[in-house]
Every structure is written in structure tokens, then in C-alpha cells.
């Protein structure tokens, strides 16, 4: 039977703070275990972030698909001048607000102020998104927005777990340090008289 090499298992013991050392105290071992736990926290946080991100993706994707079933893109006609251009990002078309009329469902006329391309004349043809009742509504959320929400949720979970783990480990290490210092004080109170020689009697201490 092959005997285990003394070097085997040292990386694992080093990670867990279990390297053989006669000078190590219980507080040192506890400190090593908490530090090892903190080193593992990013991996745990990554796994939790992935799980939470996937859960948010599934939930948001189902919600977006359900919303899309009740949103309809229909033609409309401007009944007012589009004269209030709005600021837009670089390389995006300029938009303006204008009164627009449409019919949805059939024979149900609606009028509302919506965004249209800047410069659209009165009577111009545009498209609007409406719900089942014909009311103007935002267009369905694109997959990119759903993905961004899921990524943000996963990143937030990762940050919360790592920061929480760091806070817990910091508090535990402070407590371990306090206990270690208290133990050193107690041991010094026992050792110091002998080390300094105060326990030896002075010559002639018993002479009258």
C-alpha cells in the first residue's frame, strides 16, 4: 500500500489554516478558518449570482412575452403639428410630441399625445403601440432590456454576498483578536512574576 507523501494535502491545509505549527493557538486556527471562508465567498457569490440572474431572466422574459401578447402596433394619423422637438442621443432620430388619432378596436377612436418623428406634418402617417382596449402603451420590452435586468440582479447579488461575507468575517476576526489579547494578558499575569524574578524572595526578607 502506498503511503501518503508528507507534502500531499498541504495546499488544502494551507487554505483551511491547518498547517502543522506547534506555536499556533486556538485563536490562530479560528482566524485561519474564517479567512479561508472569506476566500471561498467570491466563488459562492458567483454561483448565487448566476442562479439569481437566471431566475430573474426567466421571470422577466415570461412577463415580457405576456405583455407582448396584449400590445399591438397599429397605424395612426397626426391631428396636430409636431413642433416640440425633444433632445435625443447621438445618431438617434429627433423626436417630437404631437396629437395623434387612431382606431382600435374597430370603430373605437382614440386621441392622445405621443412621440413622432420631428417634422411630421398634420395628417402624417405614424405607428403607435396600444393595449387591448386601444389605449396608448409602451412597446414590448426588447430582449436586451430583459438581459440587462437579469445581469444587474446577478451583479447585485454577487456584491451583497461578498460584502456581507466580508463584514461577518471582519467582525469575527475582531472578536477572535479580542479573545486572543485577553488570553495573552491572562498568561502574562501568570508568567511575568516568574520571568521578572518578583516571585523570588529578597535576601534577608525573613531576618528580624
Amino acid at each position: 500500500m502506498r503511503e501518503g507523501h508528507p507534502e500531499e494535502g498541504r495546499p488544502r491545509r494551507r487554505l483551511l489554516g491547518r498547517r502543522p505549527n506547534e506555536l499556533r493557538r486556538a485563536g490562530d486556527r479560528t482566524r485561519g478558518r474564517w479567512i479561508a471562508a472569506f476566500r471561498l465567498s467570491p466563488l459562492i457569490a458567483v454561483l448565487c449570482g448566476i442562479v439569481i440572474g437566471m431566475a430573474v431572466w426567466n421571470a422577466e422574459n415570461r412577463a415580457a412575452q405576456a405583455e407582448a401578447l396584449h400590445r399591438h402596433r397599429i397605424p395612426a394619423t397626426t391631428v396636430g403639428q409636431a413642433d416640440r422637438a425633444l433632445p435625443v442621443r447621438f445618431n438617434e432620430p429627433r423626436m417630437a410630441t404631437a396629437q395623434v388619432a387612431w382606431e382600435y378596436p374597430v370603430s373605437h377612436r382614440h386621441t392622445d399625445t405621443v412621440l413622432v418623428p420631428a417634422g411630421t406634418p398634420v395628417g402624417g402617417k405614424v405607428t403607435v403601440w396600444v393595449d387591448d382596449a386601444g389605449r396608448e402603451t409602451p412597446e414590448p420590452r426588447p430582449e436586451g432590456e430583459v438581459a440587462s435586468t437579469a445581469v444587474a440582479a446577478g451583479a447585485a447579488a454577487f456584491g451583497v454576498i461578498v460584502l456581507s461575507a466580508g463584514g461577518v468575517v471582519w467582525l469575527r476576526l475582531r472578536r477572535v483578536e479580542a479573545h486572543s489579547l485577553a488570553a495573552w494578558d491572562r498568561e502574562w499575569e501568570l508568567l511575568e512574576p516568574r520571568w521578572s524574578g518578583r516571585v523570588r524572595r529578597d535576601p534577608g526578607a525573613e531576618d528580624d
Side-chain angles (χ1 to χ4, degrees):
M1 180 181 297
R2 177 178 177 271
E3 296 182 359
H5 194 275
E7 295 293 329
E8 293 180 357
R10 284 193 176 183
R12 183 173 64 255
R13 290 197 300 270
R14 186 179 298 110
L15 176 64
L16 299 177
R18 296 179 179 176
R19 287 183 294 177
N21 189 335
E22 296 179 355
L23 298 179
R24 289 177 65 86
R25 294 169 171 261
D28 298 326
R29 291 190 292 271
T30 302
R31 187 180 295 107
R33 286 193 291 268
W34 279 107
I35 292 175
F38 179 71
R39 290 173 178 171
L40 292 174
S41 64
L43 175 60
I44 298 173
V46 167
L47 296 177
C48 291
I50 292 175
V51 171
I52 292 175
M54 291 300 298
V56 171
W57 161 263
N58 291 330
E60 290 293 316
N61 195 42
R62 287 195 298 268
Q65 291 176 355
E67 290 174 355
L69 293 176
H70 302 281
R71 296 185 180 183
H72 317 280
R73 188 177 185 181
I74 62 171
T77 303
T78 57
V79 294
Q81 187 68 37
D83 55 358
R84 291 193 301 168
L86 303 177
V88 295
R89 298 177 182 176
F90 182 71
N91 284 339
E92 289 187 358
R94 292 186 62 82
M95 304 296 291
T97 57
Q99 284 284 323
V100 176
W102 65 88
E103 289 188 0
Y104 190 91
V106 179
S107 300
H108 288 73
R109 183 179 174 83
H110 300 270
T111 303
D112 202 350
T113 300
V114 301
L115 289 175
V116 299
T120 301
V122 177
K125 300 299 181 181
V126 296
T127 58
V128 295
W129 285 92
V130 299
D131 59 18
D132 292 337
R135 296 183 295 266
E136 194 268 337
T137 188
E139 64 180 287
R141 287 178 293 171
E143 290 188 1
E145 181 178 335
V146 174
S148 297
T149 302
V151 170
F158 173 85
V160 168
I161 293 173
V162 171
L163 291 177
S164 299
V168 170
V169 170
W170 181 75
L171 291 174
R172 294 299 300 176
L173 290 179
R174 287 197 61 182
R175 186 173 180 180
V176 170
E177 185 68 16
H179 287 176
S180 297
L181 293 176
W184 277 107
D185 289 339
R186 290 192 299 268
E187 293 178 7
W188 180 248
E189 289 178 359
L190 297 175
L191 178 63
E192 187 273 337
R194 299 181 181 178
W195 178 80
S196 63
R198 289 195 296 113
V199 297
R200 296 192 296 270
R201 295 182 182 274
D202 294 331
E206 296 182 354
D207 295 342
D208 294 330

